[in-house]
Amino acid sequence: MRTLALVLIASIGACTPNWKQTPHDTTFQHVAAPKLHVAPAAASVNSDWWDIGRHSVVLPLAHAVSPARYVGKLVGGRAALDINAFALVPDSSWFKNRIGRSSQTAQDIAKGAVTHPGPAPGILTIIEGKTEGVTAGVIVRDSQSVVWFMKFDPPASLELTTGAEIIASRFLHAAGYYVPEMHIEAVAQDRLVLDTNAKTQNRYHEPVRLTKARLRVLLSQLNPTPEGTLRALFSRSIPGKSLGPFQYQGVRIDDPNDTIPHEQRRSLRGLWVFSAWLGNHDTRDVNTLDAFITTQGSLGYIRHYLLDFGDALGATGTRAKHLSEGYEHRADWVEIGKRVVTLGMTYPYWLAVRRSPILSVGVFESDVFDPARWAPMVPNAAFEEATARDTFWAASILARFTKEHIDAAVATAQYSDPKAATTIATVLRERQRKLLKFAFANMLGVSEPVVEGNYEVQLTDLEVLAGLHTEPSQYEWTIQWNRTRAGDVRLLKQRSATPVISLRESIRKALAKDHAGLERDPFFTLTLRRLGKSPAVRIHVRLVRDHVIVVGMERDVD
């Protein structure tokens, strides 16, 4: 009998929902602090060509013949593993909640990751350079020995690439990602001085000495202003030891904190929403960086950065985008198959895309843009695994960027033509609207449950916040006492014009029904629906003496 009793107790405990067992602290509960360890002995090395071939040819063919892929799609995909009881991504070395956690001013957005002034006045010593290709770039050390990556615009499209990169960095930082600190400055050419040991690469990617002759070739590709200055983007070197790029799939085996496969991280899956919004179609592994951050002696942890946003907005590094970039993969087998079958008589929908007459805008539009069809240059393993819930999480952050936020970020590009800033801001707002409508189509667009006045639970209507609704919404609330050891008890059902409900009367009813039972199982589930829309959210709360706290949240997908 004693053994039977223990088995029954264990069975009851096993049936207890996870949200009743987790620590009940705050909505943005943190994961455990990273384990400190010594720096990996070697940096990871990714072959760019292998990366492109693997994701463009090998993996698409493998997925095409994998039954598990099709079954996974039917059941809604694999769940993300880097989330808490509220389906949110806690702070970690991958992601830090910023605009999703607290209100941000336009000045906060414009500041981005900047924590220092730009390059120190005086000489900029060139320690490494890139002379191949249309657009030049150098690595410089300023008069205070700070290292900066210095990038320039293609000579035929001034402000195109540098503007795209700094704007994208501001938004991605505000969203929660780790990005480099960036500045745009006009630099007099006589500030650039060649270090005697400076290196560059030849056409075979072999290191060679950067001579004055090669430097002249580099500078001759640029387009200085009438005053003789060069517009440059300065990206401050990332702190810590560089460990090379991370991959959007698998784990880093020499990182004891990297235990979740990257393709199952919501922070990386949801990145597709921000990439589509910003038109950043080059999301390959090579545009990431792992850095070892030392905290105690030789011990530290690895932080994960996103890099190189010169392919955002209407740019693609050395030129404006082609019409198809962002609308098809570089090797899009589905589209290739359609054209083969139809003998090339299909009309690609992206042919309706129009190039802006403003050179600093390039190809960046919102009329043809369709979130369901957006495609990075090379398939991204994390994006391929994204579920509706991953997309919703990213959209819940995207919805918080206001017109003032967007205008402030665009202003950091310092466009000389006011029409360029106006055009880009307008396109960003329309792409934002399309992405939000897509993300909220099958889920109820509410988030961020908080408690006011001890017993009142309030949620933010993201669709109202983003201006997607012109008419007031009508909600239906159901409150039930969620009992583990007995049947649930419905306590209240009512309608309201806002996503706000008080539990005071429901708690009074539960106390009258079974005071001792409520002390043993002080949990309530609040179910919220919008009238005329079936998907619901369930907010779980716990009674703690004279107030309630929110302990979990679940969403239905239509």
Side-chain angles (χ1 to χ4, degrees), residues 108-126:
D108 293 330
I109 303 298
K111 181 179 179 183
V114 172
T115 56
H116 305 83
I123 295 299
L124 295 171
T125 304
I126 299 174

Side-chain angles (χ1 to χ4, degrees), residues 26-317:
T26 64
T27 301
F28 292 95
Q29 49 188 297
H30 292 258
V31 295
K35 299 175 184 177
L36 300 183
H37 57 95
V38 296
S44 62
V45 179
N46 279 21
S47 167
D48 194 24
W49 286 108
W50 167 242
D51 183 38
I52 293 173
R54 178 170 176 261
H55 289 94
S56 296
V57 180
V58 178
L59 291 181
L61 291 176
H63 294 163
V65 298
S66 171
R69 295 285 297 185
Y70 298 106
V71 173
K73 294 290 184 181
L74 289 175
V75 299
R78 294 188 293 175
L81 300 180
D82 61 335
I83 59 176
N84 59 23
F86 300 90
L88 299 174
V89 177
D91 291 353
S92 71
S93 60
W94 289 89
F95 188 85
K96 182 178 177 62
N97 288 279
R98 295 188 179 100
I99 197 171
R101 168 179 287 174
S102 58
S103 59
Q104 300 276 295
T105 65
Q107 291 73 25
D108 293 330
I109 303 298
K111 181 179 179 183
V114 172
T115 56
H116 305 83
I123 295 299
L124 295 171
T125 304
I126 299 174
I127 57 178
E128 189 172 331
K130 167 182 171 291
T131 58
E132 295 299 314
V134 176
T135 302
V138 294
I139 302 175
V140 300
R141 184 173 56 246
D142 68 16
S143 58
Q144 295 184 359
S145 298
V146 177
V147 174
W148 298 85
F149 294 82
M150 189 176 177
K151 301 180 183 180
F152 307 98
D153 287 299
S157 302
L158 292 181
E159 305 175 356
L160 175 69
T161 302
T162 55
E165 184 140 8
I166 199 165
I167 291 171
S169 76
R170 295 314 194 245
F171 284 123
L172 289 169
H173 177 268
Y177 296 95
Y178 293 101
V179 299
E181 175 179 331
M182 295 184 184
H183 304 259
I184 284 181
E185 290 190 11
V187 180
Q189 295 185 55
D190 58 7
R191 290 182 62 190
L192 298 173
V193 175
L194 187 63
D195 187 274
T196 55
N197 296 317
K199 300 290 183 181
T200 186
Q201 289 184 347
N202 61 20
R203 67 180 62 187
Y204 304 108
H205 300 286
E206 298 170 331
V208 296
R209 183 166 170 263
L210 179 57
T211 63
K212 291 183 178 180
R214 286 194 172 99
L215 181 60
R216 281 196 297 271
V217 172
L218 182 152
L219 295 178
S220 70
Q221 297 175 358
L222 305 180
N223 194 345
T225 65
E227 294 77 24
T229 61
L230 300 171
R231 174 184 164 101
L233 177 86
F234 286 90
S235 179
R236 188 182 176 102
S237 59
I238 288 173
K241 176 184 177 182
S242 174
L243 298 175
F246 65 76
Q247 296 184 353
Y248 282 94
Q249 190 173 33
V251 298
R252 185 174 183 126
I253 60 174
D254 54 2
D255 181 1
N257 297 300
D258 195 6
T259 58
I260 297 175
H262 300 170
E263 70 274 18
Q264 286 187 268
R265 287 188 172 275
R266 179 157 290 174
S267 55
L268 294 182
R269 290 178 173 187
L271 178 60
W272 88 262
V273 172
F274 302 107
S275 300
W277 180 42
L278 298 169
N280 185 29
H281 71 292
D282 191 3
T283 57
R284 293 173 294 155
D285 299 345
V286 70
N287 291 327
T288 67
L289 180 70
D290 282 345
F292 184 78
I293 308 299
T294 303
T295 57
Q296 295 181 15
S298 62
L299 300 179
Y301 65 96
I302 297 175
R303 185 181 292 162
H304 313 275
Y305 287 83
L306 303 180
L307 301 179
D308 294 338
F309 314 118
D311 289 86
L313 305 185
T316 179

Side-chain angles (χ1 to χ4, degrees), residues 465-492:
L465 180 67
L468 300 183
H469 279 318
T470 56
E471 299 293 332
S473 300
Q474 289 293 320
Y475 300 94
E476 181 180 82
W477 284 95
T478 301
I479 301 177
Q480 64 183 30
W481 178 12
N482 195 306
R483 302 194 295 181
T484 302
R485 298 170 181 83
D488 295 345
V489 178
R490 177 180 287 187
L491 302 171
L492 179 70

